Every structure is written in C-alpha cells, then in structure tokens.
Amino acid sequence: MGIHFNLFNIVLLFGIVQGVIISFTLLFPGKDHRQAKYFLAAFLLALAYNSFGTFCWSSGLSLPWFYLFDRSFPYTFIFTTGPSLYLYVKTITGAEKIPAKVILKNYLPAIADLGLRLALMSYGLKKTNHLYHPAALILMVVIFWAYLLSAIRLFRHSSLQMPTAEQFQLASWTKIFLAVLMGVASLWAVTIFGTVLFQLRTLAYFEPIEVLLVIFVYWIGLRSYHCARVVYIQAQHAVKATADKLTMEDAEVYINLLKNAMETDRLYLDPALSVSKLADILKLNVKLLSAVLNGHLNKGFNTFVNEYRVNDVKQQLLQPAYDHLTNLGIALNCGFKSEATFHRVFKEITGMSPSAFRKNNHQHAADSLT
C-alpha cells in the first residue's frame, strides 16, 4: 500500500522527528546526568510513539512489525506518560536521586498493562478486545490525570522552598508547563471519552488533539530542554566562578567549618538537612558552600553528608550495644529518612549491603574469639 501525504501527515511526521531528536538529545547528555532529563525523554518518546501510530493510520504506511506490536500492546507506552511526567516534576523539585524501587513503583500501570496483554495472548486477544479497549482507554485518562494532579500538588508544595535564582527560573517554567499540559490533557480526555461513549473513531475526529500534541511536543521539547540547560550551565558557571575566587587559605577555613559541623555538631543526624539549611546554620552563602564542596572537596552536598551518615551507621553496626536495633532503625538514628535511600547510599559507599556488612563483621568477631 502506497503512502499518501497531506498537510496533517506532514505536521505529524515533523512532530515525530522533533520528539525523537529531542528525546535522544536528552538521553545522551554528556556530563549532565540529572534524572529529570531521562524522565522528560521518556515522556516525549511516548508522545512520539502515539503520533507515529496515527501517522501510519492516516498515511497508509504499513509496517508489519509496528502493526503487530501496536495490536498486541496498544496502550502500554501511553500508560508511561503519567509516571514519566510525575517523576520529571519530582526530580526538578527535589534534591535527592529517586531510587530504582520508587521509579518501578510509579511505572506499575504500564507494567500491569504489559502483563495483562501477555496473559491475554494465551486466551486470544481478539476475544477480549471488546472489553479491554474501552476499559483501557478510560483507565489511561484517569491514571494520567491522577499523576498530573499529583505532580501539580508536588510542585505547589516544593516550589516555594527553592532558594536560588536558577531554581526559581526552573520553577517558573514548570508552572507554565503544568498549566499548558492541563489544557492539552482536558482536550485529550474529551476526545477519549467521546470515542468510548459515542463510538467516534474517524480520523477527522482525532485530528485536533493530534495536531495539538505535535505542537505540544515542539514546545516542551525546545522550551524545557533550553530551560534545563540554561539552569544547569548557570549553576555550573556560578559554582566554578565562586570556587576560582577562593584562596587556598579561605577554602581551608570553610572546609574545617564544614567538617566541624559534621564531626562535632553532627548536623548530618538531621534528616531534613539541606544545602540551604546548612548554609543558614553556618552563615554562608549557598553558592559559596557549593563551591567549597564541588570545587575543593570534589563532592556534592548529598555525598558529603551521606558519607558521615554511613560512617556512623558502620560504627553502630559494629557495636554489640546496638544489636537490638534493625539496620533501618540504626539508619534512621543516623540521619537517613528512607530505607531505599539508605540501602542505595550504603552500597554505593561500602560496596556491600548493610546486612552483608553486619554479617561479615559479626563473623570476624566470632572468628577472633575462637
């Protein structure tokens, strides 16, 4: 079957190419490895995939492999849009890296859809499609809106706590992004519910939302990438400029001040400790504190603080007086605020899990007594 082009198909095609290019630019970021870029890339790829399906339908392009996959898993990729959006907002409003366990938990709707379709293959997909399609379409909209509203609540709760000018710039972008997305999601919901309730399935019916999605992909791809890049470059330049201005004598003073805050005052025991909070306690500028950490200690704030927490945990794991406490109990005593973060950080620093560390050292202690 030949491919026929019209204005709608050309708009779709350019939107698909745009989404894929921006996504791969985000996926291969060089030195910039912030998680937010990967979640935004996943969000854009899902939209590009959806647009490609519409392009094949509209243009008459026949790809056997795509047809087979799309008929087997028609909504699995779309179920990832809500989680990707939420995790994107979560990473740009929070300082800590999101653990793999939390990421997996958020993508459960897509994983459940994939598992269901695989299970239905043994029974026969055609026999269940009349029930699956309307139910999946409604769930797809409901789940996306649930994640969108969660992202908005998360942003409202977090944005006022962003201390730097760069973060305020990012907050401004995110506010506009979520507002525009609510408009797009509203039209998408109306389109889907019209399909389910009134059996409206002609190409002309889907054209408005598809064109809007293409425009949206162009906009979020260019604006969000540009904004995130500007913020990253500004932050790096500010830290480097501040670090370069410090003399070695001044840097030593600040380093000793930081070490004293951790080793004597044991500020790392505060699970809510942040770079801005530590700067306030030490009466230092946030950029100066970041410059000392990154430029002279060669480590970020989280790494610096977590090393002290892990060392404290190790000391307590070795002492019989703490045998009555669980690993998590000791971790919470030492400033960690979640089990997932504790296990990830402990393994990154020591190369083994807390349980393995505790078991090995207990075994060594027992061997020394025999």
Side-chain angles (χ1 to χ4, degrees):
M1 183 181 295
I3 303 174
H4 43 86
F5 287 95
N6 53 34
L7 180 60
F8 175 65
N9 293 340
I10 293 172
V11 170
L12 277 181
L13 186 59
F14 275 105
I16 295 163
V17 173
Q18 166 79 1
V20 171
I21 290 175
I22 293 293
S23 298
F24 277 90
T25 303
L26 292 167
L27 288 172
F28 301 100
K31 295 181 180 180
D32 187 1
H33 295 288
R34 290 169 298 165
Q35 282 184 311
K37 301 170 75 69
Y38 301 116
F39 294 127
L40 180 59
F43 182 72
L44 286 169
L45 281 174
L47 295 184
Y49 172 84
N50 175 74
S51 296
F52 184 69
T54 305
F55 174 78
C56 291
W57 175 27
S58 173
S59 67
L61 175 64
S62 179
L63 299 173
W65 60 268
F66 180 79
Y67 178 85
L68 178 63
F69 183 86
D70 192 54
R71 288 296 178 271
S72 302
F73 310 102
Y75 308 118
T76 302
F77 271 121
I78 310 303
F79 273 114
T80 68
T81 54
S84 296
L85 164 69
Y86 174 76
L87 292 169
Y88 170 65
V89 174
K90 186 175 178 66
T91 51
I92 62 177
T93 56
E96 288 194 358
K97 184 178 180 181
I98 302 177
K101 187 177 180 180
V102 176
I103 296 173
L104 191 65
K105 182 180 178 181
N106 276 280
Y107 280 107
L108 277 179
I111 296 170
D113 180 73
L114 177 64
L116 176 63
R117 294 299 287 179
L118 288 172
L120 290 176
M121 283 181 180
S122 59
Y123 180 74
L125 294 177
K126 290 184 178 180
K127 297 178 183 178
T128 57
N129 276 344
H130 67 289
L131 296 174
Y132 168 78
H133 282 290
L137 284 169
I138 293 172
L139 275 175
M140 190 168 61
V141 173
V142 170
I143 289 173
F144 180 82
W145 268 94
Y147 277 103
L148 174 57
L149 294 175
S150 295
I152 292 171
R153 283 195 298 270
L154 180 65
F155 172 71
R156 286 177 176 172
H157 182 264
S158 304
S159 61
L160 295 178
Q161 301 174 15
M162 296 181 174
T164 67
E166 292 82 6
Q167 288 171 317
F168 276 122
Q169 182 181 356
L170 192 57
S172 177
W173 146 252
T174 307
K175 184 177 181 179
I176 297 171
F177 168 64
L178 291 173
V180 172
L181 185 55
M182 283 191 70
V184 175
S186 297
L187 179 59
W188 180 53
V190 170
T191 303
I192 294 299
F193 282 110
T195 301
V196 174
L197 297 175
F198 305 109
Q199 303 297 309
L200 300 172
R201 297 176 181 172
T202 63
L203 181 61
Y205 176 71
F206 287 97
E207 283 182 355
I209 184 60
E210 292 294 342
V211 171
L212 185 60
L213 282 174
V214 167
I215 296 172
F216 186 62
V217 166
Y218 269 104
W219 181 69
I220 65 174
L222 293 175
R223 285 294 303 275
S224 62
Y225 176 74
H226 174 72
C227 179
R229 191 64 186 159
V230 166
V231 169
Y232 176 75
I233 292 172
Q234 286 178 345
Q236 294 301 309
H237 285 179
V239 169
K240 187 177 186 301
T242 306
D244 290 342
K245 292 177 182 177
L246 285 175
T247 64
M248 290 303 298
E249 292 78 10
D250 288 339
E252 282 297 323
V253 171
Y254 293 128
I255 290 171
N256 289 332
L257 193 62
L258 282 169
K259 290 182 176 179
N260 182 69
M262 296 296 122
E263 295 169 8
T264 303
D265 299 332
R266 304 182 74 194
L267 296 182
Y268 63 86
L269 295 178
D270 179 6
L273 187 66
S274 64
V275 64
S276 57
K277 188 173 182 178
L278 180 59
D280 287 340
I281 294 172
L282 299 179
K283 308 301 180 185
L284 297 177
N285 179 274
V286 172
K287 287 183 180 178
L288 176 60
L289 181 57
S290 297
V292 173
L293 288 168
N294 290 281
H296 293 273
L297 293 178
N298 296 317
K299 60 185 69 174
F301 170 77
N302 287 335
T303 301
F304 176 72
V305 175
N306 284 333
E307 284 177 353
Y308 281 97
R309 289 171 176 160
V310 168
N311 285 335
D312 201 350
V313 168
K314 288 164 62 179
Q315 291 299 319
Q316 294 189 27
L317 289 175
L318 295 174
Q319 296 179 30
Y322 295 96
D323 283 349
H324 66 287
L325 291 177
T326 63
N327 294 341
L328 179 58
I330 292 175
L332 297 176
N333 287 342
C334 295
F336 286 102
K337 59 183 178 181
S338 75
E339 184 176 10
T341 301
F342 164 57
H343 279 278
R344 175 178 58 81
V345 170
F346 191 94
K347 191 166 186 179
E348 284 177 357
I349 293 175
T350 67
M352 64 177 68
S353 68
S355 298
F357 179 86
R358 198 172 201 173
K359 183 179 178 181
N360 286 349
N361 284 280
H362 282 186
Q363 184 63 47
H364 290 322
D367 291 342
S368 66
L369 295 175
T370 58

